[in-house]
Amino acid sequence: MSAIGRRRGIHYLQKLSAANIPSDLIEKGQSRVIDASLTLIREKAKLKGELVRALGGSLASTSLLGVPLGHNSSFLQGPAFAPPRIREAMWCGSTNSTTEEGKELKDPRVLTDVGDLSVQEIRDCGVDDDRLMNVISESVKLVMEEDPLRPLVLGGDHSISYPVVRAVSEKLGGPVDILHLDAHPDIYDAFEGNKYSHASPFARIMEGGYARRLLQVGIRSINSEGREQGKRFGVEQYEMRTFSRDRHFLEHLKLGEGVKGVYISVDVDCLDPAFAPGVSHFEPGGLSFRDVLNILHNLQGNLVAADVVEYNPQRDAVDGLTAMVAAKLVRELAAKMSK
């Protein structure tokens, strides 16, 4: 278990228990806060879905959902502050709202936003991670219920990918293929004893049968457990030390045939820290930004959902450089998903 922020809700719950507050009273209060948080997501998703359907002509429209969770990080918890910073950079006046492939992000048929799940407010009521993960999954399903909205989730640390992928797979009725861009495989069984660690989401995803194929690209910090877990789950791991050899294959991926679609998870530290210094874990020798865009732009497959995680504003530099990097990733993924 790690860090002060992760224990805040637990300590609050212990105080209530010590004061002999009945457990059913605590649980009812927690449920009210959860319901209020989900209601806001639900109603915003309904509104945005109605708008897109009224405009017509959209088969898939990307919808942003923020999950500002940082307490499952093993080092720094700054990713909890990322979603608003990414949004700010997305709409910064220093650039325009057209993506590289020519889609206009101000068109709600391309991109809408349902806001952030109230993660810290929920945790402050003593809600544990088992229940919190269920709430995150439910928020994702609320977006997916509003056809043609498809969720693009703004993290947050990488632990959010497990409940998001679970929700997508359950809602679609079967597994997806996952393209995972990262410096780390994040497939520990339970890093530091935490099964929901940001270093463990893909172990939970593969255990649950939510992915048929998992391709991990950009890996350059992996130990024996990471490799053993990869073999156990049949993961396709593409390390940076062989990227020049693998480049052609990775820039011409075709995924999702025979399953419910493609999910993309982008950890910002897949990039070399020269391109993205605002991350918790500096791992030199990573992908260039254009490497990542080439992989994303050329991917063939039905992109049903995605996440961008592990941007840490507290380590950013040069007037929000990494915020702009994360924002551009979000913009290009939004264009890729919408149709």
Side-chain angles (χ1 to χ4, degrees):
M1 301 295 184
S2 67
I4 295 171
R6 192 160 175 260
R7 297 191 294 265
R8 278 174 57 196
I10 296 172
H11 285 170
Y12 181 71
L13 186 59
Q14 289 173 341
K15 287 180 180 179
L16 292 177
S17 298
N20 295 318
I21 304 297
S23 60
D24 61 333
L25 186 63
I26 296 172
E27 187 171 345
K28 287 179 181 178
Q30 291 173 338
S31 295
R32 289 196 302 270
V33 174
I34 290 170
D35 289 345
S37 302
L38 290 175
T39 296
L40 185 57
I41 299 295
R42 179 187 296 110
E43 295 305 319
K44 292 187 73 173
K46 283 184 179 180
L47 176 61
K48 300 305 172 68
E50 289 168 352
L51 172 61
V52 173
R53 291 191 294 272
L55 290 170
S58 177
L59 298 176
S61 175
T62 305
S63 191
L64 301 182
L65 169 65
V67 181
L69 183 155
H71 66 274
N72 281 320
S73 174
S74 60
F75 182 42
L76 301 173
Q77 299 186 17
F81 302 102
R85 294 295 301 274
I86 294 173
R87 289 189 181 91
E88 180 183 4
M90 283 183 68
W91 304 112
C92 174
S94 70
T95 186
N96 62 56
S97 58
T98 304
T99 67
E100 289 197 4
E101 294 182 325
K103 291 189 178 178
E104 173 53 63
L105 295 178
K106 289 183 178 179
D107 184 342
R109 291 169 295 186
V110 176
L111 180 67
T112 58
D113 193 337
V114 301
D116 292 348
L117 182 66
S118 303
V119 172
Q120 294 309 314
E121 289 80 359
I122 293 170
R123 291 190 66 245
D124 281 346
C125 296
V127 173
D128 64 20
D129 263 9
D130 287 334
R131 196 173 183 189
L132 177 59
M133 293 296 153
N134 291 335
V135 174
I136 294 171
S137 291
E138 181 61 24
S139 70
V140 173
K141 290 179 180 179
L142 290 174
V143 175
M144 296 179 69
E145 285 175 4
E146 295 299 322
D147 187 65
L149 301 187
R150 295 186 176 184
L152 201 173
V153 180
L154 309 179
D157 67 45
H158 220 149
S159 68
I160 71 165
S161 292
Y162 164 58
V164 176
V165 171
R166 179 179 64 182
V168 171
S169 175
E170 290 178 348
K171 192 67 179 173
L172 295 178
V176 294
D177 285 345
I178 300 178
L179 173 61
H180 168 209
L181 302 170
D182 202 328
H184 318 87
D186 291 351
I187 202 165
Y188 284 95
D189 179 60
F191 190 72
E192 296 181 339
N194 178 13
K195 67 179 180 179
Y196 294 126
S197 168
H198 72 154
S200 300
F202 291 97
R204 305 288 82 77
I205 288 167
M206 300 308 287
E207 286 172 352
Y210 303 120
R212 177 187 65 177
R213 292 179 68 186
L214 172 58
L215 288 75
Q216 300 185 318
V217 180
I219 305 299
R220 55 196 187 275
S221 178
I222 181 171
N223 61 13
S224 59
E225 182 177 351
R227 291 193 172 91
E228 289 165 4
Q229 286 280 88
K231 290 178 182 177
R232 173 189 173 192
F233 293 118
V235 180
E236 301 164 57
Q237 294 176 331
Y238 297 93
E239 298 184 40
M240 282 307 301
R241 61 193 176 91
T242 60
F243 182 72
S244 59
R245 182 193 70 193
D246 300 328
R247 178 189 293 274
H248 180 78
F249 170 73
L250 295 173
E251 290 183 351
H252 297 84
L253 291 172
K254 188 172 184 179
L255 300 174
E257 288 188 346
V259 289
K260 296 300 182 180
V262 180
Y263 185 98
I264 297 178
S265 180
V266 182
D267 185 321
V268 177
D269 72 23
C270 72
L271 294 159
D272 191 276
F275 296 91
V279 295
S280 298
H281 301 269
F282 298 145
E283 286 292 343
L287 296 161
S288 74
F289 192 82
R290 187 51 55 182
D291 290 333
V292 172
L293 284 195
N294 286 343
I295 292 169
L296 297 180
H297 284 163
N298 295 332
L299 172 67
Q300 296 182 55
N302 179 27
L303 181 56
V304 293
D307 64 56
V308 174
V309 298
E310 296 287 353
Y311 163 51
N312 184 347
Q314 294 178 331
R315 297 198 95 185
D316 209 350
V318 196
D319 295 326
L321 168 64
T322 312
M324 293 298 291
V325 169
K328 175 111 177 179
L329 290 169
V330 171
R331 290 155 63 96
E332 297 301 315
L333 281 169
K336 185 77 175 179
M337 196 184 308
S338 63
K339 57 186 178 181

mmCIF file of all heavy atoms in Angstrom, residues 209-236:
data_model
loop_
_atom_site.group_PDB
_atom_site.id
_atom_site.type_symbol
_atom_site.label_atom_id
_atom_site.label_comp_id
_atom_site.label_asym_id
_atom_site.label_seq_id
_atom_site.Cartn_x
_atom_site.Cartn_y
_atom_site.Cartn_z
ATOM 1 N N GLY A 209 -10.481 -11.799 -18.659
ATOM 2 C CA GLY A 209 -10.855 -12.180 -20.015
ATOM 3 C C GLY A 209 -11.426 -11.031 -20.822
ATOM 4 O O GLY A 209 -12.171 -11.244 -21.790
ATOM 5 N N TYR A 210 -11.037 -9.798 -20.473
ATOM 6 C CA TYR A 210 -11.596 -8.634 -21.151
ATOM 7 C C TYR A 210 -10.842 -8.276 -22.431
ATOM 8 O O TYR A 210 -11.299 -7.427 -23.189
ATOM 9 C CB TYR A 210 -11.611 -7.434 -20.199
ATOM 10 C CG TYR A 210 -12.376 -7.713 -18.926
ATOM 11 C CD1 TYR A 210 -11.753 -7.631 -17.687
ATOM 12 C CD2 TYR A 210 -13.719 -8.076 -18.974
ATOM 13 C CE1 TYR A 210 -12.453 -7.905 -16.516
ATOM 14 C CE2 TYR A 210 -14.420 -8.350 -17.811
ATOM 15 C CZ TYR A 210 -13.777 -8.262 -16.588
ATOM 16 O OH TYR A 210 -14.475 -8.547 -15.435
ATOM 17 N N ALA A 211 -9.707 -8.923 -22.658
ATOM 18 C CA ALA A 211 -8.924 -8.672 -23.872
ATOM 19 C C ALA A 211 -8.557 -9.992 -24.529
ATOM 20 O O ALA A 211 -8.167 -10.948 -23.852
ATOM 21 C CB ALA A 211 -7.652 -7.889 -23.550
ATOM 22 N N ARG A 212 -8.681 -10.033 -25.844
ATOM 23 C CA ARG A 212 -8.183 -11.186 -26.586
ATOM 24 C C ARG A 212 -6.695 -11.042 -26.848
ATOM 25 O O ARG A 212 -5.911 -11.933 -26.539
ATOM 26 C CB ARG A 212 -8.926 -11.330 -27.919
ATOM 27 C CG ARG A 212 -8.390 -12.479 -28.790
ATOM 28 C CD ARG A 212 -9.016 -12.494 -30.164
ATOM 29 N NE ARG A 212 -8.668 -11.309 -30.947
ATOM 30 C CZ ARG A 212 -9.040 -11.111 -32.212
ATOM 31 N NH1 ARG A 212 -9.795 -12.028 -32.825
ATOM 32 N NH2 ARG A 212 -8.693 -10.009 -32.846
ATOM 33 N N ARG A 213 -6.310 -9.898 -27.399
ATOM 34 C CA ARG A 213 -4.902 -9.602 -27.655
ATOM 35 C C ARG A 213 -4.512 -8.353 -26.878
ATOM 36 O O ARG A 213 -5.290 -7.405 -26.776
ATOM 37 C CB ARG A 213 -4.630 -9.355 -29.146
ATOM 38 C CG ARG A 213 -4.787 -10.548 -30.039
ATOM 39 C CD ARG A 213 -4.517 -10.169 -31.492
ATOM 40 N NE ARG A 213 -3.106 -9.828 -31.746
ATOM 41 C CZ ARG A 213 -2.651 -9.359 -32.916
ATOM 42 N NH1 ARG A 213 -3.490 -9.151 -33.916
ATOM 43 N NH2 ARG A 213 -1.374 -9.100 -33.064
ATOM 44 N N LEU A 214 -3.324 -8.371 -26.322
ATOM 45 C CA LEU A 214 -2.748 -7.203 -25.669
ATOM 46 C C LEU A 214 -1.374 -6.976 -26.262
ATOM 47 O O LEU A 214 -0.476 -7.805 -26.117
ATOM 48 C CB LEU A 214 -2.655 -7.417 -24.153
ATOM 49 C CG LEU A 214 -1.890 -6.355 -23.351
ATOM 50 C CD1 LEU A 214 -2.502 -4.975 -23.541
ATOM 51 C CD2 LEU A 214 -1.846 -6.725 -21.872
ATOM 52 N N LEU A 215 -1.230 -5.854 -26.973
ATOM 53 C CA LEU A 215 0.048 -5.473 -27.555
ATOM 54 C C LEU A 215 0.608 -4.318 -26.735
ATOM 55 O O LEU A 215 -0.048 -3.278 -26.593
ATOM 56 C CB LEU A 215 -0.103 -5.029 -29.012
ATOM 57 C CG LEU A 215 -0.406 -6.103 -30.061
ATOM 58 C CD1 LEU A 215 -1.858 -6.553 -29.983
ATOM 59 C CD2 LEU A 215 -0.103 -5.583 -31.466
ATOM 60 N N GLN A 216 1.809 -4.496 -26.190
ATOM 61 C CA GLN A 216 2.452 -3.478 -25.374
ATOM 62 C C GLN A 216 3.659 -2.928 -26.124
ATOM 63 O O GLN A 216 4.591 -3.666 -26.448
ATOM 64 C CB GLN A 216 2.876 -4.070 -24.029
ATOM 65 C CG GLN A 216 1.689 -4.607 -23.235
ATOM 66 C CD GLN A 216 2.057 -5.086 -21.845
ATOM 67 O OE1 GLN A 216 3.073 -5.744 -21.649
ATOM 68 N NE2 GLN A 216 1.222 -4.752 -20.866
ATOM 69 N N VAL A 217 3.634 -1.627 -26.388
ATOM 70 C CA VAL A 217 4.627 -0.993 -27.254
ATOM 71 C C VAL A 217 5.332 0.133 -26.500
ATOM 72 O O VAL A 217 4.684 0.915 -25.809
ATOM 73 C CB VAL A 217 3.950 -0.426 -28.524
ATOM 74 C CG1 VAL A 217 4.977 0.244 -29.429
ATOM 75 C CG2 VAL A 217 3.208 -1.530 -29.277
ATOM 76 N N GLY A 218 6.645 0.201 -26.650
ATOM 77 C CA GLY A 218 7.432 1.254 -26.001
ATOM 78 C C GLY A 218 8.103 0.796 -24.734
ATOM 79 O O GLY A 218 8.737 1.597 -24.030
ATOM 80 N N ILE A 219 8.000 -0.489 -24.417
ATOM 81 C CA ILE A 219 8.500 -1.030 -23.153
ATOM 82 C C ILE A 219 10.020 -0.897 -23.061
ATOM 83 O O ILE A 219 10.746 -1.283 -23.974
ATOM 84 C CB ILE A 219 8.106 -2.516 -23.008
ATOM 85 C CG1 ILE A 219 6.586 -2.695 -23.166
ATOM 86 C CG2 ILE A 219 8.578 -3.068 -21.678
ATOM 87 C CD1 ILE A 219 5.761 -1.969 -22.157
ATOM 88 N N ARG A 220 10.484 -0.358 -21.952
ATOM 89 C CA ARG A 220 11.929 -0.239 -21.732
ATOM 90 C C ARG A 220 12.286 -0.300 -20.241
ATOM 91 O O ARG A 220 13.428 -0.041 -19.862
ATOM 92 C CB ARG A 220 12.474 1.042 -22.357
ATOM 93 C CG ARG A 220 11.770 2.320 -21.884
ATOM 94 C CD ARG A 220 12.080 3.479 -22.821
ATOM 95 N NE ARG A 220 11.560 4.727 -22.315
ATOM 96 C CZ ARG A 220 10.304 5.149 -22.518
ATOM 97 N NH1 ARG A 220 9.453 4.385 -23.181
ATOM 98 N NH2 ARG A 220 9.908 6.316 -22.049
ATOM 99 N N SER A 221 11.315 -0.623 -19.403
ATOM 100 C CA SER A 221 11.560 -0.855 -17.983
ATOM 101 C C SER A 221 10.734 -2.067 -17.589
ATOM 102 O O SER A 221 9.558 -1.949 -17.241
ATOM 103 C CB SER A 221 11.173 0.370 -17.151
ATOM 104 O OG SER A 221 11.366 0.124 -15.772
ATOM 105 N N ILE A 222 11.367 -3.246 -17.670
ATOM 106 C CA ILE A 222 10.642 -4.486 -17.435
ATOM 107 C C ILE A 222 11.573 -5.462 -16.724
ATOM 108 O O ILE A 222 12.751 -5.573 -17.070
ATOM 109 C CB ILE A 222 10.118 -5.076 -18.773
ATOM 110 C CG1 ILE A 222 9.321 -6.377 -18.530
ATOM 111 C CG2 ILE A 222 11.226 -5.278 -19.787
ATOM 112 C CD1 ILE A 222 8.595 -6.884 -19.772
ATOM 113 N N ASN A 223 11.048 -6.134 -15.724
ATOM 114 C CA ASN A 223 11.858 -7.110 -14.993
ATOM 115 C C ASN A 223 11.351 -8.520 -15.280
ATOM 116 O O ASN A 223 10.487 -8.728 -16.145
ATOM 117 C CB ASN A 223 11.860 -6.794 -13.499
ATOM 118 C CG ASN A 223 10.461 -6.850 -12.889
ATOM 119 O OD1 ASN A 223 9.517 -7.352 -13.498
ATOM 120 N ND2 ASN A 223 10.333 -6.343 -11.671
ATOM 121 N N SER A 224 11.865 -9.489 -14.535
ATOM 122 C CA SER A 224 11.511 -10.883 -14.803
ATOM 123 C C SER A 224 10.024 -11.135 -14.589
ATOM 124 O O SER A 224 9.406 -11.893 -15.351
ATOM 125 C CB SER A 224 12.351 -11.816 -13.912
ATOM 126 O OG SER A 224 12.142 -11.528 -12.532
ATOM 127 N N GLU A 225 9.431 -10.502 -13.563
ATOM 128 C CA GLU A 225 8.001 -10.719 -13.357
ATOM 129 C C GLU A 225 7.187 -10.187 -14.524
ATOM 130 O O GLU A 225 6.209 -10.807 -14.956
ATOM 131 C CB GLU A 225 7.517 -10.072 -12.056
ATOM 132 C CG GLU A 225 6.027 -10.340 -11.815
ATOM 133 C CD GLU A 225 5.494 -9.786 -10.503
ATOM 134 O OE1 GLU A 225 6.293 -9.334 -9.660
ATOM 135 O OE2 GLU A 225 4.256 -9.835 -10.316
ATOM 136 N N GLY A 226 7.595 -9.024 -15.051
ATOM 137 C CA GLY A 226 6.893 -8.465 -16.196
ATOM 138 C C GLY A 226 6.920 -9.389 -17.401
ATOM 139 O O GLY A 226 5.915 -9.551 -18.112
ATOM 140 N N ARG A 227 8.077 -10.007 -17.626
ATOM 141 C CA ARG A 227 8.190 -10.933 -18.753
ATOM 142 C C ARG A 227 7.430 -12.234 -18.492
ATOM 143 O O ARG A 227 6.784 -12.791 -19.382
ATOM 144 C CB ARG A 227 9.664 -11.209 -19.055
ATOM 145 C CG ARG A 227 10.393 -9.999 -19.635
ATOM 146 C CD ARG A 227 11.746 -10.378 -20.217
ATOM 147 N NE ARG A 227 12.316 -9.240 -20.923
ATOM 148 C CZ ARG A 227 13.122 -8.337 -20.373
ATOM 149 N NH1 ARG A 227 13.479 -8.471 -19.099
ATOM 150 N NH2 ARG A 227 13.594 -7.332 -21.078
ATOM 151 N N GLU A 228 7.502 -12.724 -17.259
ATOM 152 C CA GLU A 228 6.792 -13.963 -16.912
ATOM 153 C C GLU A 228 5.278 -13.767 -16.999
ATOM 154 O O GLU A 228 4.556 -14.636 -17.513
ATOM 155 C CB GLU A 228 7.192 -14.410 -15.506
ATOM 156 C CG GLU A 228 8.618 -14.944 -15.419
ATOM 157 C CD GLU A 228 9.125 -15.038 -13.991
ATOM 158 O OE1 GLU A 228 8.331 -14.752 -13.058
ATOM 159 O OE2 GLU A 228 10.306 -15.381 -13.803
ATOM 160 N N GLN A 229 4.801 -12.638 -16.503
ATOM 161 C CA GLN A 229 3.374 -12.344 -16.599
ATOM 162 C C GLN A 229 2.946 -12.192 -18.060
ATOM 163 O O GLN A 229 1.853 -12.615 -18.450
ATOM 164 C CB GLN A 229 3.038 -11.070 -15.822
ATOM 165 C CG GLN A 229 3.046 -11.214 -14.311
ATOM 166 C CD GLN A 229 1.770 -11.849 -13.797
ATOM 167 O OE1 GLN A 229 1.671 -13.077 -13.721
ATOM 168 N NE2 GLN A 229 0.789 -11.021 -13.439
ATOM 169 N N GLY A 230 3.820 -11.582 -18.854
ATOM 170 C CA GLY A 230 3.528 -11.459 -20.280
ATOM 171 C C GLY A 230 3.356 -12.819 -20.933
ATOM 172 O O GLY A 230 2.418 -13.042 -21.716
ATOM 173 N N LYS A 231 4.252 -13.740 -20.624
ATOM 174 C CA LYS A 231 4.153 -15.097 -21.182
ATOM 175 C C LYS A 231 2.909 -15.806 -20.655
ATOM 176 O O LYS A 231 2.223 -16.516 -21.405
ATOM 177 C CB LYS A 231 5.400 -15.886 -20.826
ATOM 178 C CG LYS A 231 6.661 -15.417 -21.553
ATOM 179 C CD LYS A 231 7.878 -16.216 -21.114
ATOM 180 C CE LYS A 231 9.133 -15.716 -21.812
ATOM 181 N NZ LYS A 231 10.350 -16.451 -21.340
ATOM 182 N N ARG A 232 2.625 -15.622 -19.376
ATOM 183 C CA ARG A 232 1.451 -16.273 -18.773
ATOM 184 C C ARG A 232 0.165 -15.898 -19.503
ATOM 185 O O ARG A 232 -0.698 -16.756 -19.748
ATOM 186 C CB ARG A 232 1.362 -15.874 -17.297
ATOM 187 C CG ARG A 232 0.090 -16.336 -16.602
ATOM 188 C CD ARG A 232 -0.036 -15.708 -15.213
ATOM 189 N NE ARG A 232 -1.304 -16.007 -14.590
ATOM 190 C CZ ARG A 232 -1.783 -15.410 -13.501
ATOM 191 N NH1 ARG A 232 -1.063 -14.466 -12.898
ATOM 192 N NH2 ARG A 232 -2.961 -15.739 -13.022
ATOM 193 N N PHE A 233 0.046 -14.610 -19.855
ATOM 194 C CA PHE A 233 -1.188 -14.130 -20.468
ATOM 195 C C PHE A 233 -1.115 -14.035 -21.995
ATOM 196 O O PHE A 233 -2.072 -13.578 -22.626
ATOM 197 C CB PHE A 233 -1.555 -12.755 -19.899
ATOM 198 C CG PHE A 233 -1.935 -12.783 -18.435
ATOM 199 C CD1 PHE A 233 -1.193 -12.088 -17.493
ATOM 200 C CD2 PHE A 233 -3.050 -13.490 -18.006
ATOM 201 C CE1 PHE A 233 -1.550 -12.094 -16.155
ATOM 202 C CE2 PHE A 233 -3.416 -13.512 -16.669
ATOM 203 C CZ PHE A 233 -2.659 -12.810 -15.740
ATOM 204 N N GLY A 234 0.006 -14.438 -22.587
ATOM 205 C CA GLY A 234 0.140 -14.375 -24.038
ATOM 206 C C GLY A 234 0.225 -12.958 -24.582
ATOM 207 O O GLY A 234 -0.258 -12.669 -25.689
ATOM 208 N N VAL A 235 0.843 -12.077 -23.814
ATOM 209 C CA VAL A 235 0.963 -10.677 -24.214
ATOM 210 C C VAL A 235 2.058 -10.517 -25.275
ATOM 211 O O VAL A 235 3.101 -11.158 -25.202
ATOM 212 C CB VAL A 235 1.279 -9.791 -22.990
ATOM 213 C CG1 VAL A 235 1.415 -8.329 -23.395
ATOM 214 C CG2 VAL A 235 0.207 -9.959 -21.921
ATOM 215 N N GLU A 236 1.802 -9.648 -26.238
ATOM 216 C CA GLU A 236 2.787 -9.334 -27.269
ATOM 217 C C GLU A 236 3.538 -8.073 -26.833
ATOM 218 O O GLU A 236 3.001 -6.972 -26.918
ATOM 219 C CB GLU A 236 2.086 -9.129 -28.616
ATOM 220 C CG GLU A 236 1.303 -10.357 -29.070
ATOM 221 C CD GLU A 236 0.304 -10.054 -30.167
ATOM 222 O OE1 GLU A 236 0.724 -9.531 -31.222
ATOM 223 O OE2 GLU A 236 -0.894 -10.333 -29.962
#
